[in-house]
Structure formats: structure tokens, C-alpha cells
Amino acid sequence: MRFVQFYLGLPVAMVLLAAFAVPMYHRLKVYTAYEFLETRFGPGTRALTASLFLLQRGLSTGITLYAPALIVSVILGWNIHLTNIVIGSLVVLYTATGGTKAVSWTHVHQLLIALGGMAAALIIAIHAIPSDISFVEAMKVAGRMGRLNAIDFSFDLTTPYSFWAGLIGGCMLALSYFGCDQSQVQRYLTGETVEQSRLGLLFNGLIKVPMQFFILFVGAMVFVFYQFVAPPLFFNTAERAKIGASRYAEAYSRLEEQHRGEFVAKRDRVRQLVGAMRNGKRIDCRRGHHSAAPGAGRGGDDAEAGGGADPAERSARRQQRH
């Protein structure tokens, strides 16, 4: 969840680009960011930066095509190479025939499909959690297991994601990406006026952080779902069937049995955590009304040690408190 901090600098970058970059690009009447570099530094700079962009974008596009092709080939059982060719050909076709307008509308449809799919995954995950586990308890489980730690204000340099790194580093990265990368610059250069281009950038800055938070929250709830519902040892059903028909079937079966046993043990520990949180609520409520509860003056350790609680429950309570 801390990855959401990566986008905290994005709104600041969008404001800066809307204030300075957009008017400059419109005033110079350029079609690419590299055309501006040519007017400023000469044709050699334009050729170098454009070549680096095409190389980088070509490599990233290969991954972008391969990822959905891999999923489609697994679900439908298609050949992965043929699936890559089909998806790549469709992208080239609608891009070449429809231009920027076709690309923009395709992205809108892709966004709606992605958000709809994540919303469906969230609803399914919440409803599939055992009925005795409430939504609030599911969120608390995610929080106790470190999946809802969204903001970190520490100055620890060993922490990969923090508020300050996201605000400063994220802002710098967004300035370079949305200000210089042609894949992004071309989007707001298609605006008929400066106001339209600015509106597009500012809307991007406003919606990106809550959208990313929603995406990560869906992931946290799916994580909780798999604490109570056993996941398969290997999600690729086609490859799993091949293993079942091979000489490794017996070894794979033993691994599945071990996997199920470890999952049951983990699920039991998670249920102990839920029980400890429920007991903690009742204890806190009693202490709120009875300030002289035993052990209250010593942090509650003696109170938790008594009362007939077993060692597993006491351990879960200590983990909950810390």
C-alpha cells in the first residue's frame, strides 16, 4: 500500500507543467517534445533524444503486448506467439487508421474495463470471505499484516517508499515523464487550446492518487481473501494439466498436499488473530468503564496473562498491541 506515496508528487508536477510547459509548447506550435529540442539545441539533440525514446518505448511496448497476450493464451489455450501477433496487429491497425483520437478513446475504454474488473474482484473477494469475518475485521487483518500502511513520514533512507520520497522524487519523475516523453506530451498537444491541455493535465493529477489507492486497496482485500480461501499451488491451469500428465505428477501432488497443510496452519493463525482482536475490544471496553482493572497500571500484561487464556491467544494479543 505504501506504493501510493509514489504518486503524491504527481499533482504538484501537473500544476507546474500546466503553468509553464503547456503555454510554451502551444506558443512554439510544435508537434513533439523533440521538435522543441531541435529549435533550442539543434538537430543532433533531436535525433539523439528521439532515438532514445523510440528504443525505450519499443522495449516497453514489447512487455506491454506480452503481458496481456500471456494471460489470454493461458485462459483460452492459444499459442503465445500467435496471440502476440494478433494483439500487436490490432494495436497497429487502430493506431494507424484512427490516430491520436483512436488511441485516446481506446485508453478510455481500457480504463473502464480495468476499473470494472477491479471493482468486480473487490466485491467477489469481500463476499467470498467467511461470513463470520466482517468487512471491518478483514481490513484490520490486512492492517495487522502490514498491507494498509499507506503513508510513512519517516526520514529513513532505507525505506523504499515514504511521503518525502514520493513528494519530491515522484514530482521530479512526473515532470520528466509528462514534460519530455512524447507518449505523454502528444496527449495534451492535441488540445485545441491551452485551457484544454491544462484541464487534461490537472484532471490527471487529481484522479491518479485516489485511483491508485483504490487499486492497491483491491490488492489488500484479495490478500485477505487468500488468508481464508486456499489458493492453488500454481494458477496456470494449462501448465498444471501438463504436469499432471507428466512423470512429475506424483511429486507435484506431494507439493500440493504440503501446500494445503501449510495453508490450514496459516488460516488457523489468522483466525487466532481475529479472535485476539475481538477479545481486545471487549477488554478495552471493560477497562474504559473500570479504570481499576487488574494490570491496567502495568500495561495490561498481567491481565492478559490470566483469565485462563492459552499461550497462543496471549501471543496473538501481544502481537496485536505491538
Side-chain angles (χ1 to χ4, degrees):
M1 184 66 78
R2 289 185 179 181
F3 183 72
V4 74
Q5 298 172 116
F6 179 78
Y7 294 94
L8 295 180
L10 181 65
V12 179
M14 296 299 99
V15 171
L16 294 175
L17 291 173
F20 299 106
V22 171
M24 179 190 68
Y25 282 135
H26 276 268
R27 184 175 64 253
L28 295 176
K29 300 185 183 302
V30 296
Y31 292 99
T32 69
Y34 313 113
E35 187 178 354
F36 162 72
L37 292 177
E38 181 181 19
T39 62
R40 189 84 168 86
F41 302 103
T45 302
R46 175 181 181 175
L48 175 62
T49 53
S51 300
L52 291 175
F53 164 76
L54 291 174
L55 176 63
Q56 180 186 25
R57 190 56 55 189
L59 294 174
S60 65
T61 301
I63 300 297
T64 304
L65 288 175
Y66 177 75
L70 181 62
I71 297 173
V72 171
S73 66
V74 169
I75 295 176
L76 301 180
W78 294 355
N79 180 275
I80 182 63
H81 305 293
L82 178 62
T83 308
N84 267 314
I85 293 174
V86 170
I87 293 179
S89 300
L90 290 175
V91 172
V92 171
L93 179 64
Y94 78 71
T95 302
T97 57
T100 304
K101 184 177 181 179
V103 172
S104 298
W105 278 109
T106 302
H107 287 170
V108 171
H109 296 151
Q110 289 172 344
L111 177 63
L112 294 176
I113 293 173
L115 292 178
M118 286 185 290
L122 178 62
I123 294 172
I124 293 172
I126 292 174
H127 281 275
I129 292 174
S131 57
D132 61 320
I133 306 295
S134 68
F135 175 68
V136 174
E137 288 175 333
M139 290 185 60
K140 288 185 176 181
V141 168
R144 296 290 183 183
M145 302 184 76
R147 295 304 189 272
L148 294 181
N149 299 331
I151 304 297
D152 180 8
F153 288 101
S154 69
F155 290 93
D156 187 1
L157 297 180
T158 62
T159 302
Y161 300 110
S162 68
F163 175 84
W164 310 108
L167 188 62
I168 300 173
C171 178
M172 295 300 174
L173 182 62
L175 283 173
S176 64
Y177 183 51
F178 289 92
C180 304
D181 195 298
Q182 179 59 21
S183 66
Q184 302 303 313
V185 173
Q186 66 181 351
R187 299 174 190 273
Y188 54 82
L189 286 184
T190 57
E192 296 181 357
T193 63
V194 173
E195 287 71 23
Q196 285 186 357
S197 299
R198 283 174 168 171
L199 183 62
L201 281 175
L202 294 176
F203 182 78
N204 189 6
L206 289 174
I207 201 67
K208 185 66 174 179
V209 175
M211 184 182 72
Q212 192 65 34
F213 181 84
F214 170 72
I215 293 171
L216 296 174
F217 181 74
V218 171
M221 288 298 101
V222 172
F223 169 80
V224 175
F225 165 78
Y226 280 120
Q227 303 307 303
F228 298 98
V229 179
L233 179 61
F234 191 43
F235 283 86
N236 192 325
T237 55
E239 296 299 324
R240 199 163 62 230
K242 291 180 181 178
I243 295 175
S246 69
R247 60 193 178 103
Y248 301 105
E250 185 177 351
Y252 185 78
S253 179
R254 289 196 299 269
L255 286 175
E256 282 189 318
E257 188 64 29
Q258 180 184 352
H259 172 67
R260 283 192 293 268
E262 292 179 352
F263 167 77
V264 170
K266 180 186 68 173
R267 183 180 59 192
D268 291 341
R269 291 194 296 270
V270 174
R271 284 196 170 275
Q272 287 180 2
L273 174 62
V274 174
M277 288 189 295
R278 289 171 179 171
N279 292 334
K281 289 179 182 178
R282 291 196 295 269
I283 291 170
D284 292 339
C285 185
R286 287 199 305 270
R287 289 174 183 170
H289 290 85
H290 304 282
S291 59
R298 296 185 299 277
D301 290 336
D302 295 340
E304 287 185 3
D310 58 34
E313 184 176 354
R314 293 198 301 270
S315 175
R317 289 178 182 175
R318 285 195 294 269
Q319 291 177 6
Q320 173 199 359
R321 187 174 63 253
H322 294 299

